[in-house]
Amino acid sequence: EIVLTQFPDTLSVSPGGSATLSCRASQWIASSYLVWYQQKPGQAPRLVMYSTSNRAIGIPDRFSGSGSGTQFTLTISRLEPEDLAVYYCQQYGTSSLSFGGGTKVEIE
Amino acid sequence: QVQLRESGPGLVKPSQTLSLSCTVSGGSINGPEYYWNWIRQSPGKGLEWIGYIYYNGNSYYNSSLKSRASISLGTSTTQFSLKLRSVTVADTAVYYCARFSPAYYFDYWGPGLLVTVSS
């Protein structure tokens, strides 16, 4: 099974700054199978990015995704208070799925 | 609009079986497009995929839970269920049901149900 490792665990960013979140896979993943979610306290996760670099409906263009193979990145530019959350990457493999451990984005 | 909702007891005793249901409204689970999943989140922790079931009854599980988890289709086309045997306090979590789409992401989630394992 593929293990996803996210880093850092916590990212402190100044208002208006940028956040770069990393997700590393233990095996090669097709770009189509790498997804990012945002989760706020008390809520179910919300889709942010699919197929590595495609923004979900309603996600502002401040969010961008990139990567390939075993290294993937979610970048949030011009950080706004509403972006404070935990972000998870997730992959789909043959008959299995897995999530990364999450990165918490907080205001510095 | 598709909606999912988890239901079941919020308190389960250690060594017993946790049984939850997910009711889907605005759609049916009786089709080949989607996988129907259970995911959990222990307090203050990350997301853990438990497993999924397909419309034909085929199911797949996280290897760490495979020996204790069982996902089944309900008697109607709008329900599926989770059973987790021999629970311990480590199984205390918010349990989510979610739909996995052909685009390889979870597109609809239930609100989640907190299940506490305690004597």
Side-chain angles (χ1 to χ4, degrees):
Chain A
E1 291 185 349
I2 296 176
V3 176
L4 298 179
T5 302
Q6 290 187 244
F7 51 94
D9 291 339
T10 302
L11 196 52
S12 297
V13 184
S14 300
S18 293
T20 300
L21 289 65
S22 297
C23 176
R24 182 176 61 219
S26 60
Q27 300 174 40
W28 182 89
I29 298 174
S31 295
S32 300
Y33 297 163
L34 195 286
V35 175
W36 293 90
Y37 300 90
Q38 175 193 71
Q39 187 180 34
K40 297 182 178 180
Q43 297 182 16
R46 174 195 183 192
L47 180 69
V48 172
M49 199 75 59
Y50 64 96
S51 296
T52 296
S53 59
N54 292 274
R55 280 187 301 278
I57 294 171
I59 300 299
D61 60 7
R62 300 182 290 100
F63 288 78
S64 62
S66 63
S68 64
T70 61
Q71 302 276 2
F72 298 87
T73 300
L74 178 69
T75 301
I76 311 171
S77 303
R78 305 184 303 281
L79 200 81
E80 296 191 6
E82 66 191 37
D83 302 331
L84 304 182
V86 180
Y87 293 82
Y88 295 94
C89 57
Q90 172 247 306
Q91 67 81 29
Y92 166 79
T94 304
S95 304
S96 74
L97 301 97
S98 59
F99 293 92
T103 292
K104 182 179 182 180
V105 175
E106 59 182 28
I107 292 291
E108 192 171 59
Chain B
Q1 176 78 343
V2 174
Q3 293 184 324
L4 292 82
R5 181 164 293 275
E6 306 85 0
S7 61
L11 181 64
V12 181
K13 288 182 167 47
S15 79
Q16 293 190 340
T17 297
L18 179 160
S19 296
L20 299 178
S21 292
C22 180
T23 300
V24 179
S25 58
S28 166
I29 61 176
N30 190 25
E33 298 89 357
Y34 303 103
Y35 299 145
W36 302 92
N37 292 256
W38 287 97
I39 296 154
R40 70 180 184 179
Q41 186 170 35
S42 299
K45 302 295 185 184
L47 300 164
E48 180 180 30
W49 175 70
I50 298 172
Y52 67 70
I53 192 162
Y54 199 41
Y55 79 106
N56 61 4
N58 289 345
S59 56
Y60 300 90
Y61 302 93
N62 185 325
S63 59
S64 67
L65 294 168
K66 188 174 183 178
S67 63
R68 297 194 294 128
S70 176
I71 300 174
S72 59
L73 298 174
T75 53
S76 75
T77 59
T78 59
Q79 280 196 335
F80 62 104
S81 300
L82 168 70
K83 289 188 186 299
L84 187 64
R85 297 175 290 277
S86 304
V87 298
T88 70
V89 294
D91 294 308
T92 294
V94 174
Y95 285 77
Y96 295 99
C97 56
R99 189 179 83 169
F100 193 71
S101 78
Y104 307 112
Y105 55 77
F106 294 102
D107 57 356
Y108 289 99
W109 297 69
L113 180 68
L114 174 63
V115 179
T116 301
V117 179
S118 174
S119 55

